[in-house]
Amino acid sequence: MKYENMKFLITGGAGFIGGNYLHIMTRKFPKDEFVCLDSLTYAGNMETLKPIMKLTNFKFIRGDIRDRALVCKLFEEEKFDIVINFAAESHVDRSIENPQIFLETNIIGVSVLMDACRKYGIMRYHQVSTDEVYGELSLNSSDTFEETNSIHGSSPYAASKSSADLLVLAYHRTYGLNATISRASDTYGPYQFPEKLIPLMIQKARKGEKLPVYGDGKNVRDWLHVSDHCNAIDLIVRKGRNGEIYNIGGHNERSNLQVVETILKALGKDDSLIEHVKDRLGHDRRYAICPDKIEKELGWRPEYTFDTGIAETIRWNIDNQEWLNHVESGEYLKWMERYQKL
């Protein structure tokens, strides 16, 4: 199927991965139109979209994917061709503390979007998922997750994303919805909210504060630069086979402790800043993605190694303190107070 001069709905586009996707694709495809729908919770903000706000092929609308009336009205008015759902509650720790909002956004919100896709007609719906749906692998094995693996998500976050994936596949099978799913490794890079490991550790190291590392720090993740992640999603949307799942892996397995030590070394800080803290509940030991399918079928390859990606990410965090100050502003703190009361 050929996708040219298309109108895209990008949900969650003011967040980390969605924002980077919009930065790249609005310029790469100037003849396509991109509408961003985002509810602007604590991890999504307009500062992320500032570099593209004046582009003629971009428009922002504030709204929640759980709002069925708003979503249907938007579909009716805008007549989208492609829908890519980046919108999600995504922090594991928050899902352990308060699962409800994860279930509402990550499952109910997805069903609202797909019902609108069915009603108003789209060429493709794409669900941005995660490697966490697969559960964990042994630290002592060389196994990797493949698309045919069963899903065994450990946290409420992973369970909610697993449920969404199953729902997408059900809509494809039952209603004939043209849909694809991507499951990617842990993603890092510019504009990532500083609750996640890499930006959090960069900020704390720069301030000379203690860097909290869960448990023994030996938990392993496969790290993927956000630009590689976004380019893979674009390939899947435009060239991927209908009804298929595609894994996106960075070929960059590192333990959490190795990541933290890399950041400290790059910033000229001492390992004495590392502080081992009580481990996260149900903390998976290892994730590792096999991206053979997307590499063979679509010709995708990651451009970043971990060394090049982490160096660029550290530099971005140093050079963009204004953005970081904004996300840590009083408005963010007020939102957090409301969130804790839910």
Side-chain angles (χ1 to χ4, degrees):
M1 191 178 294
K2 202 169 184 180
Y3 296 106
E4 294 180 346
N5 301 318
M6 297 290 101
K7 191 167 196 177
F8 287 72
L9 172 63
I10 307 300
T11 63
F16 166 47
I17 304 175
N20 276 278
Y21 179 90
L22 284 167
H23 288 181
I24 296 168
M25 301 307 161
T26 51
R27 294 180 171 90
K28 185 176 180 179
F29 300 104
K31 293 183 179 180
D32 288 337
E33 296 179 61
F34 297 87
V35 177
C36 171
L37 176 67
D38 199 296
S39 59
L40 298 179
T41 58
Y42 75 98
N45 63 81
M46 295 302 294
E47 287 296 307
T48 298
L49 297 175
K50 185 180 288 186
I52 61 172
M53 285 299 293
K54 294 183 179 180
L55 295 180
T56 57
N57 65 335
F58 173 76
K59 178 164 69 172
F60 175 80
I61 297 171
R62 184 170 185 175
D64 195 315
I65 62 171
R66 297 172 296 174
D67 187 337
R68 190 173 293 272
L70 180 148
V71 168
C72 286
K73 181 180 179 183
L74 187 60
F75 270 72
E76 186 172 357
E77 292 176 350
E78 298 288 345
K79 297 178 171 54
F80 300 113
D81 299 298
I82 311 292
V83 177
I84 306 179
N85 181 35
F86 292 94
E89 293 286 343
S90 64
H91 195 242
V92 174
D93 289 349
R94 295 182 192 279
S95 80
I96 293 170
E97 294 170 3
N98 186 354
Q100 181 177 339
I101 193 169
F102 286 75
L103 306 182
E104 292 175 353
T105 299
N106 298 354
I107 303 174
I108 301 303
V110 169
S111 72
V112 169
L113 286 174
M114 290 193 298
D115 283 341
C117 288
R118 289 179 56 220
K119 181 176 181 180
Y120 295 99
I122 50 96
M123 295 174 66
R124 171 149 293 175
Y125 172 87
H126 183 76
Q127 176 70 11
V128 179
S129 188
T130 170
D131 60 359
E132 295 200 34
V133 302
Y134 292 117
E136 69 175 348
L137 296 167
S138 169
L139 284 178
N140 300 319
S141 78
S142 58
D143 295 341
T144 56
F145 294 131
E146 298 183 7
E147 290 86 354
T148 54
N149 279 103
S150 300
I151 51 180
H152 300 283
S154 302
S155 66
Y157 161 64
S160 69
K161 295 296 285 186
S162 301
S163 300
D165 285 5
L166 292 174
L167 198 59
V168 172
L169 295 174
Y171 270 63
H172 167 69
R173 170 97 183 238
T174 304
Y175 304 114
L177 181 69
N178 189 331
T180 47
I181 297 170
S182 58
R183 294 171 177 163
S185 303
D186 279 43
T187 304
Y188 69 98
Y191 297 102
Q192 188 170 28
F193 191 79
E195 67 184 354
K196 299 297 179 74
L197 178 69
I198 287 178
L200 177 65
M201 297 303 167
I202 293 172
Q203 286 298 95
K204 286 189 173 295
R206 290 183 62 203
K207 296 174 183 177
E209 298 175 354
K210 289 291 185 180
L211 279 62
V213 175
Y214 281 132
D216 59 14
K218 293 181 180 179
N219 305 71
V220 170
R221 301 294 182 262
D222 174 32
W223 294 95
L224 176 70
H225 192 274
V226 67
S227 293
D228 287 329
H229 190 168
C230 292
N231 285 322
I233 289 172
D234 181 64
L235 269 178
I236 294 167
V237 168
R238 295 174 187 270
K239 298 182 179 180
R241 288 184 290 132
N242 183 20
E244 292 294 315
I245 300 167
Y246 292 89
N247 284 345
I248 310 171
H251 299 292
N252 289 304
E253 286 190 54
R254 298 286 192 286
S255 71
N256 289 346
L257 197 56
Q258 286 176 313
V259 171
V260 172
E261 290 170 346
T262 299
I263 291 169
L264 286 170
K265 183 178 180 180
L267 292 172
K269 302 290 184 176
D270 192 83
D271 288 358
S272 61
L273 288 176
I274 295 173
E275 180 179 44
H276 290 271
V277 299
K278 183 179 179 181
D279 207 354
R280 168 192 286 164
L281 295 175
H283 198 178
D284 290 332
R285 291 300 272 171
R286 176 174 168 258
Y287 303 147
I289 281 283
C290 175
D292 286 355
K293 182 176 178 178
I294 188 173
E295 291 180 354
K296 292 175 181 177
E297 284 192 17
L298 305 182
W300 175 85
R301 295 287 190 283
E303 296 180 3
Y304 284 86
T305 65
F306 184 75
D307 290 338
T308 58
I310 195 66
E312 180 183 288
T313 301
I314 291 170
R315 173 52 55 190
W316 186 91
N317 276 266
I318 292 171
D319 293 343
N320 288 271
Q321 190 61 49
E322 183 178 347
W323 181 87
L324 291 161
N325 290 341
H326 175 81
V327 301
E328 294 176 339
S329 68
E331 286 303 309
Y332 157 68
L333 294 176
K334 289 176 186 177
W335 192 93
M336 281 298 297
E337 289 175 3
R338 294 197 298 273
Y339 184 96
Q340 296 296 337
K341 293 177 182 177
L342 290 176

